Amino acid sequence: MSDEADHIAERKMQFLFALRSKGVTDARVLTAMEKIDRSPFIRGYFAERAYEDMPLPIACGQTISQPSVVGLMTQALKVTPRDTVLEVGTGSGYQAAILSQLVRRIYTVDRHKRLVREATEVFRALDLTNITALTADGCFGLPDQAPFDRIIVTAAAEDPPGPLLAQLKIGGIMVLPVGQSDTVQRLIRVTRTETGFDYDELRSVRFVPLVEGLGRDV
Ligand code: SAH
């Protein structure tokens, strides 16, 4: 192996080790994260730091989430290969790309048209054909494609948005951060039952806020 290939292989091993040590233990999730390279989702200067377990800046003042948080949220969703999933907050597209390896179809929406366009370019380049990215206000979900087996929200709301709860199938699971921005947010898992919703608190996290309406770049 060349020095460069050696170096990349070593960084990848460290990346997977960091994920495991932070609680990402599901073999299917780890395999997806080993396969999908994070660097194409980070344009420019920060791309060389793709293998660090850190959130990094992307366009439109947003961030690509920390890989271990992506892994823990994916694990918490308990997806199956038959699932249709909605992601609110496409951002770089990295979380959607990881999920695309584990489910049948994923719809992902972002309020910033530019992020949707750039993520779509990366999905095409990587031949991830089961992802549909759309510009939309995710506070309202995606009524045309609802209901969903799983919903993941990667921006923090004060409470789970009603339309998203309504678009979850019975037996379906939603994972989302709740709390005010700039304070501690809690990652929660909501499971829809025959009669209502069960809530589990998973851990504390820090996400950019869920903002109503479309971005000004639209
Ligand atoms: N999942 C992303 C990280 C998302 S950062 C990744 O893997 O890179 C949060 C994203 O949520 C931002 O891109 C922001 O534009 C988006 N967002 C915030 N409020 C939104 C809303 N109401 N509807 C859709 N997207 C929203």
Side-chain angles (χ1 to χ4, degrees):
M1 250 197 289
S2 69
D3 279 0
E4 175 64 9
D6 241 11
H7 188 53
I8 291 175
E10 189 184 321
R11 278 198 300 186
K12 203 156 196 179
M13 263 176 55
Q14 281 171 356
F15 176 76
L16 291 168
F17 182 80
L19 292 176
R20 278 197 211 93
S21 71
K22 289 182 180 163
V24 184
T25 51
D26 183 310
R28 292 179 60 230
V29 175
L30 286 166
T31 302
M33 295 186 77
E34 184 174 1
K35 183 165 167 220
I36 301 287
D37 186 358
R38 188 169 175 245
S39 48
F41 296 93
I42 306 161
R43 296 183 178 221
Y45 176 70
F46 286 101
E48 64 188 47
R49 298 180 65 178
Y51 285 117
E52 292 176 29
D53 191 26
M54 295 225 318
L56 293 169
I58 56 171
C60 305
Q62 304 302 315
T63 50
I64 178 171
S65 309
Q66 189 177 350
S68 56
V69 172
V70 170
L72 290 170
M73 287 177 81
T74 307
Q75 209 166 262
L77 264 187
K78 299 185 193 165
V79 291
T80 80
R82 293 178 307 281
D83 287 344
T84 297
V85 181
L86 172 66
E87 178 190 34
V88 175
T90 311
S92 67
Y94 179 64
Q95 170 75 72
I98 299 298
L99 281 167
S100 76
Q101 303 299 294
L102 303 169
V103 304
R104 190 171 64 84
R105 172 142 286 284
I106 166 148
Y107 294 91
T108 179
V109 300
D110 204 288
R111 58 190 292 277
H112 287 291
K113 191 176 185 178
R114 173 174 170 191
L115 293 175
V116 169
R117 188 182 65 237
E118 293 186 351
T120 301
E121 284 168 17
V122 184
F123 300 148
R124 282 217 190 97
L126 299 180
D127 203 24
L128 303 175
T129 53
N130 62 343
I131 309 176
T132 305
L134 301 162
T135 307
D137 180 354
C139 295
F140 299 102
L142 203 54
D144 288 351
Q145 307 299 337
F148 298 99
D149 299 292
R150 301 288 185 267
I151 299 177
I152 181 169
V153 185
T154 61
E158 280 186 36
D159 295 298
L164 297 183
L165 291 170
Q167 290 174 26
L168 202 54
K169 282 187 192 166
I170 290 171
I173 296 174
M174 171 158 68
V175 171
L176 76 165
V178 290
Q180 283 166 356
S181 59
D182 296 338
T183 61
V184 175
Q185 304 153 0
R186 308 295 299 172
L187 188 65
I188 63 165
R189 173 166 53 202
V190 184
T191 307
R192 184 164 197 176
T193 65
E194 294 277 352
T195 50
F197 297 93
D198 286 342
Y199 294 85
D200 285 307
E201 245 187 64
L202 304 174
R203 50 171 278 156
S204 54
V205 282
R206 191 155 193 179
F207 277 85
V208 298
L210 188 72
V211 178
E212 280 181 32
L214 296 182
R216 263 186 270 139
D217 59 330
V218 173

